Amino acid sequence: LPGGDLSGRTILITAGPTHEPLDPVRYLANRSSGKQGYALACACRDAGARVTLVSGPTALSPPSGVRFIGVETAREMEAACLEALPVDVGIFCAAVADYRPEIETAHKIKKERGGLSSIPLTENPDILKSVSRMSGEHRPTLVIGFAAETDDVIGHAEAKRLRKGCDWIVANDVSPGTDTMGGDNNTITILTDNGEETLPQMSKDDVARALVSRIVAAFDD
Ligand code: C5P
């Protein structure tokens, strides 16, 4: 988007998984390559926005020209996000672990020393929900969440939009055979107050550019 349609806008993006440590060598995590979030960071940067990318561990290199904050856990991701506010737009693409092990042991859990037959869990903060429900100027003008679903994609995503309190939900179908999970393509439906728009399957870079154009249009209104 030459001309910088988002110039002067500040945008916070979360990407990648979070890792929730159990002991020094083990963690709980969601599957997430970070590709869609990094593509969004680049597309927003290319449109002239000032981008903060808060990312969990991925195999990708931090994009140039964005403020990059690498984190490990959901609690670190939340702290980095709160620190980055206020922004005009928040895009919450990360696959945050909903739960973390209640305790992180300082020493490696050993089978020989009794091992572990279950892992007590405790709930992580919901970053999208808490930012969506902020009041005053700390709430971004536009809050966008993502929803990876395998069935009744639209129904679940719309319920999620209302539950979280975000403005838009970008729903993606991650069922087997879609090439979404870990792949280079994505098929999305954007749900807003005004209804839904389903885009054909395209590269994650093109999905990012399509979303940027919707964001530009939202600010033009
Ligand atoms: O509830 P679910 O994890 O499916 O919601 C997905 C959306 O919520 C994504 O935008 C994700 O980044 C965000 N989320 C979050 N913090 C959590 C869990 C999810 O920001 N603890």
Side-chain angles (χ1 to χ4, degrees):
L1 287 168
D5 294 328
L6 290 177
S7 65
R9 302 283 181 202
T10 49
I11 303 190
L12 165 67
I13 299 170
T14 69
T18 64
H19 285 185
E20 310 295 333
L22 174 62
D23 72 10
V25 297
R26 302 185 180 94
Y27 57 82
L28 300 184
N30 283 319
R31 277 186 208 285
S32 171
S33 66
K35 284 178 184 173
Q36 187 61 75
Y38 281 52
L40 272 163
C42 293
C44 291
R45 172 202 66 197
D46 292 345
R50 298 215 315 272
V51 177
T52 300
L53 175 61
V54 177
S55 176
T58 75
L60 308 172
S61 307
S64 62
V66 314
R67 186 160 78 103
F68 181 86
I69 305 172
V71 298
E72 191 121 348
T73 67
R75 285 177 297 171
E76 289 167 9
M77 185 171 276
E78 181 188 44
C81 287
L82 297 181
E83 181 98 7
L85 298 179
V87 292
D88 295 311
V89 185
I91 309 177
F92 296 86
C93 218
V96 182
D98 290 323
Y99 296 90
R100 66 175 180 275
E102 207 165 76
I103 40 172
E104 178 188 356
T105 63
H107 297 282
K108 186 178 172 187
I109 297 159
K110 303 289 281 182
K111 225 170 15 194
E112 300 76 14
R113 284 196 239 115
L116 203 59
S117 58
S118 65
I119 304 171
L121 299 175
T122 187
E123 213 169 335
N124 265 331
D126 190 321
I127 306 165
L128 173 62
K129 197 185 212 172
S130 53
V131 171
S132 295
R133 294 179 181 281
M134 280 177 169
S135 53
E137 54 248 36
H138 262 67
R139 189 194 190 276
T141 307
L142 183 60
V143 181
I144 305 173
F146 272 67
E149 307 285 354
T150 55
D151 53 283
D152 186 16
V153 175
I154 311 276
H156 283 132
E158 178 60 10
K160 188 164 289 181
R161 190 176 77 85
L162 300 173
R163 198 168 61 239
K164 303 261 188 180
C166 56
D167 302 302
W168 299 359
I169 279 270
V170 178
N172 40 3
D173 187 345
V174 295
S175 23
T178 55
D179 185 41
T180 302
M181 204 59 109
D184 290 319
N185 294 311
N186 201 354
T187 314
I188 63 162
T189 298
I190 306 169
L191 296 109
T192 72
D193 261 340
N194 300 321
E196 58 182 73
E197 180 188 13
T198 300
L199 306 183
Q201 189 188 64
M202 56 181 88
S203 71
K204 289 180 179 175
D205 289 336
D206 284 340
V207 163
R209 285 187 279 264
L211 258 178
V212 164
S213 75
R214 304 306 184 280
I215 294 168
V216 169
F219 277 98
D220 282 347
D221 278 351

